[in-house]
Amino acid sequence: MRRLVVMASAAAVLPRCKASVFSGDRSMVRSLLAKLRRTNHRKRHAQTTRAAQSLHKALKGLMLATALAPLAVFAPPAGIAVAKTGRKPPGVANPSVHKPRSVNVRRKPSARPPAASRDLSRTHRCAAGSSTYKLHLPASHIDRPQGLIVMLHGCNQTPDDFAIGTHMNALAEKYGLAIAYPAQSRRRNAAGCWNWFQPMHQVRGMGEPAILASLTRKLMRELRLGRDSVFVAGLSSGGAMAAILADGYPDVFSAAGVHSGMARGAATGAMSAMAAMRVGASGGGGVSVSAMRDRSAGSSFRARRTARFTPPMRR
C-alpha cells in the first residue's frame, strides 16, 4: 500500500519536475540566444565602426591633400617636414608620389635684342630750294652705315614705290648701306618727273641738281661718310638726273647707276625730250656739255666717266 502511494506521488511529481526542467532549459536557451545576439550585434557594430573610421580617415586625408596641392609649390620639400615631425600626411601612403615634380628649366642668358632698321621721313632746305625724302638706315649699321646711295625715282612714282620696286632696302641690310629716296615735288613737275630736260636743271649750282647735292652733303656729314662711299642711281627721269649729278658733282658722287635715262644735255625742253626718247639726241640741238660745266670743276670732268657700281666691302 505504501509502495503504491509513493509511486502515485512520484507519478504526480514527475510531470511537474519535467515541466520545471524543460521550462528552465527554455529560459536558459533564450538567455543564451539573447546574449549571442547582443554579442554579434556588438561585433558587427565594432567592425562597422572601424571600417567607417578607416574610410573617413582616408577620405579626410585625400581631401586635405587635394586642397593643399596648389600650395605645394610654396611649401618646403616633403622630406624636410617628415624629418621634423616624424609624421606622414594623413591619408597619403607615400608622400613622394603626390609631391609635385620640380622641372629644372635652364634659362639662357638674356641676349640683347638686335637693333631694328629705321625709315625716316625728312625735309631738306637749302638756297636752291627744298625737297622731302625718305631715309633708310640698316639695322646692322644703324649709327654709322658703310655707304650712302641716293635713289631717284621715275615719273609718277614716289619714294615708297621706288623702294618697294627696287628692293634696295634689302640690299642695304646686306651691305650695311644707307638709302636716301628724294621725292620730286608736283609743283615743279605735274607728272612727278625730274626736270632733266630743262637747261636750268642741267648745271651745277642751280635747280634740282643743287638741291640734291646739298641734301647729299648734309647726309655725308651726318653719317660721317666720304666721297668714295657715296653713290647715286635712278630710273627714267631719275636716271637722267643721276647722270647730271655724276657729271656735275664728281666731288660728291663717286659713281652713278643709270637705268633708261638720257645723257646730260640730250634735250633743252619738253618737245626735244620726247624726240630724244624716241629717236635719240640729235646732237645739234642740245646744249654743249662744256658750256654747262662749272669752271670750278676744271678739266677733271673731261677725264671722268660714269663708273660701274660695286657694293663696298664690309669693314
Side-chain angles (χ1 to χ4, degrees), residues 31-70:
S31 63
L32 289 176
L33 290 176
K35 289 182 180 180
L36 288 175
R37 290 192 190 97
R38 287 195 296 270
T39 303
N40 292 334
H41 178 71
R42 289 173 183 174
K43 287 183 178 180
R44 286 197 300 270
H45 180 70
Q47 292 176 358
T48 305
T49 304
R50 285 196 295 271
Q53 289 177 354
S54 300
L55 180 61
H56 178 69
K57 288 182 180 179
L59 291 175
K60 182 180 179 182
L62 182 60
M63 292 173 62
L64 183 62
T66 305
L68 297 179

Side-chain angles (χ1 to χ4, degrees), residues 50 55 83 102 124 131 134 140 169 185 195 272 291 303:
R50 285 196 295 271
L55 180 61
S102 60
H124 175 72
S131 177
K134 297 289 184 68
S140 57
N169 290 350
S185 173
N195 294 310
S272 60

Side-chain angles (χ1 to χ4, degrees), residues 209-247:
I211 299 174
L212 296 174
S214 175
L215 185 155
T216 305
R217 289 193 185 101
K218 176 182 178 297
L219 292 177
M220 291 171 66
R221 292 190 298 269
E222 178 183 347
L223 303 176
R224 294 172 289 176
L225 296 173
R227 171 194 169 276
D228 294 338
S229 301
V230 179
F231 315 94
V232 61
L235 170 69
S236 185
S237 66
M241 184 56 66
I244 294 173
L245 290 173
D247 196 17

Side-chain angles (χ1 to χ4, degrees), residues 297-309:
S299 60
S300 61
F301 283 98
R302 299 173 186 175
R304 183 170 301 278
R305 294 291 184 268
T306 301
R308 180 179 296 177
F309 169 69

